[in-house]
């Protein structure tokens, strides 16, 4: 049974509004029917910090959910690729080995042909394993490190005449997830710029950032890719590449922005906490 609602009095109109800020960002408004703004300012400051903490906690939870979902999807894909690809190859090799063994004495020529098939199948299985490994972690990172891998990508994309400058700070000892994300974001941003923006020059900057007591930031990793091309059209719809970059950064509780560069071109910037 629903009880009737009772009203007593009439709410007074809001006479004072104090913005709830945190790090120069307005998160909401504290509205009261009356009061001294100078007295309410400290309260609004604490409320803004609490609201920012609640927002970050919710964002962190969403990021963790996305990360777990992405990891499980990747495990399912990896399991399927192993079963359908490498598993079938190995089963076929086993049958061919049995057939070669049976024909070894009675028909040596046929046995040699089967051994040739086995060698071909083994080579194909090895190529399949390399594809799976590449999908897990780009081999450029293992061979060259983050700075070297980005420089290798820049040299490859710049072969057509685009001047690409890479400036790397301290990138040693980064967590594997940060390293992979930084490389893939840099590679995607450079590829988009060269293919679609028609730039003459691109500049890549990457390195660690120190914690700031005044800004409330923690230690992090920063990456930016700037070009002097035509930039993104105002009506452009983010494609798979741009969406993937943003999702990868946000999975690590970071932030990615894509803005117009002064004088033309585009700036892709990412920051990831460490």
């Amino acid at each position: 049974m629903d009880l009737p609602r009772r009203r007593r009095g009439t709410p007074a109109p809001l006479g004072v509004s104090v913005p709830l800020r945190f790090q120069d960002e307005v998160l909401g408004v504290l509205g009261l029917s009356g009061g001294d703004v100078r007295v309410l300012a400290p309260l609004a400051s604490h409320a803004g910090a609490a609201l920012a903490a609640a927002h970050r906690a919710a964002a962190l939870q969403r990021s963790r959910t996305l990360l777990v979902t992405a990891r499980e999807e990747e495990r399912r894909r990896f399991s399927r690729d192993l079963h359908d690809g490498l598993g079938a190859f190995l089963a076929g090799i086993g049958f061919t080995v049995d057939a070669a063994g049976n024909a070894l004495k009675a028909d040596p020529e046929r046995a040699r042909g089967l051994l040739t098939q086995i060698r071909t199948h083994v080579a194909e299985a090895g190529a399949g394993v390399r594809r799976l490994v590449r999908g897990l972690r780009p081999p450029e990172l293992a061979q060259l490190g983050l700075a070297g891998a980005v420089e290798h990508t820049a040299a490859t994309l710049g072969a057509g005449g685009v001047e690409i400058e890479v400036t790397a700070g301290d990138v040693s000892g980064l967590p594997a997830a940060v390293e992979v994300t930084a490389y893939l974001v840099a590679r995607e941003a450079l590829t988009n710029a060269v293919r679609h923006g028609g730039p003459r020059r691109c500049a890549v900057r990457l390195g660690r950032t120190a914690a700031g007591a005044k800004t409330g930031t923690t230690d992090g990793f920063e990456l930016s890719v700037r070009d002097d091309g035509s930039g993104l059209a105002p009506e452009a719809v983010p494609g798979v590449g741009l969406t993937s970059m943003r999702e990868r950064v946000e999975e690590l509780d970071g932030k990615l922005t894509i803005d117009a560069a002064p004088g033309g071109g585009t700036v892709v910037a990412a920051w990831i906490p460490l």
Side-chain angles (χ1 to χ4, degrees):
M1 179 179 178
D2 295 333
L3 297 176
R5 296 181 179 180
R6 295 182 179 180
R7 295 183 179 180
R8 294 182 179 178
T10 302
L14 298 179
V16 178
S17 294
V18 183
L20 302 179
R21 298 177 180 272
F22 185 74
Q23 296 181 359
D24 297 328
E25 181 181 0
V26 177
L27 304 176
V29 175
L30 176 63
L32 299 172
S33 60
D36 190 336
V37 174
R38 293 172 298 178
V39 176
L40 294 174
L43 175 62
S45 176
H46 291 299
L51 186 58
H55 285 175
R56 291 183 177 181
L60 179 59
Q61 183 58 46
R62 288 194 299 269
S63 296
R64 287 173 174 169
T65 301
L66 288 173
L67 185 60
V68 171
T69 302
R71 183 173 64 239
E72 292 306 319
E73 288 293 335
E74 186 65 15
R75 286 177 175 175
R76 183 166 62 179
R77 182 191 67 81
F78 188 62
S79 176
R80 183 180 64 247
D81 289 347
L82 283 176
H83 179 271
D84 297 343
L86 187 59
F89 267 118
L90 293 178
I93 290 173
F95 292 137
T96 308
V97 167
D98 292 340
N102 294 333
L104 190 58
K105 292 183 179 180
D107 193 348
E109 190 64 28
R110 181 170 179 269
R112 281 192 291 269
L114 292 172
L115 291 175
T116 301
Q117 292 182 26
I118 293 172
R119 182 169 184 171
T120 301
H121 291 161
V122 169
E124 292 175 351
V129 170
R130 286 191 292 274
R131 285 194 298 271
L132 290 174
V133 171
R134 185 177 182 85
L136 293 175
R137 179 178 173 84
E140 301 94 313
L141 284 175
Q143 298 170 7
L144 305 173
L146 177 57
V150 174
E151 289 171 352
H152 174 73
T153 298
T156 302
L157 293 173
V162 181
E163 180 183 339
I164 303 178
E165 176 190 18
V166 178
T167 303
D170 181 14
V171 295
S172 61
L174 292 173
V178 174
E179 193 176 50
V180 171
T181 295
Y183 171 63
L184 295 179
V185 168
R187 186 177 69 182
E188 183 66 26
L190 280 174
T191 301
N192 286 340
V194 173
R195 288 183 179 177
H196 306 298
R200 292 176 300 171
R201 297 182 182 85
C202 296
V204 184
R205 303 283 187 272
L206 60 154
R208 295 173 181 267
T209 61
K214 292 184 178 180
T215 59
T217 58
T218 61
D219 291 337
F221 178 86
E222 193 171 43
L223 163 72
S224 68
V225 178
R226 177 173 179 172
D227 67 80
D228 62 357
S230 59
L232 291 173
E235 68 278 3
V237 177
V240 175
L242 295 180
T243 302
S244 176
M245 285 194 297
R246 191 179 302 281
E247 289 178 347
R248 285 183 179 277
V249 173
E250 290 179 351
E251 281 178 356
L252 301 179
D253 205 24
K255 183 179 181 180
L256 182 136
T257 59
I258 303 174
D259 299 308
T266 305
V267 178
V268 177
W271 182 84
I272 302 171
L274 295 177

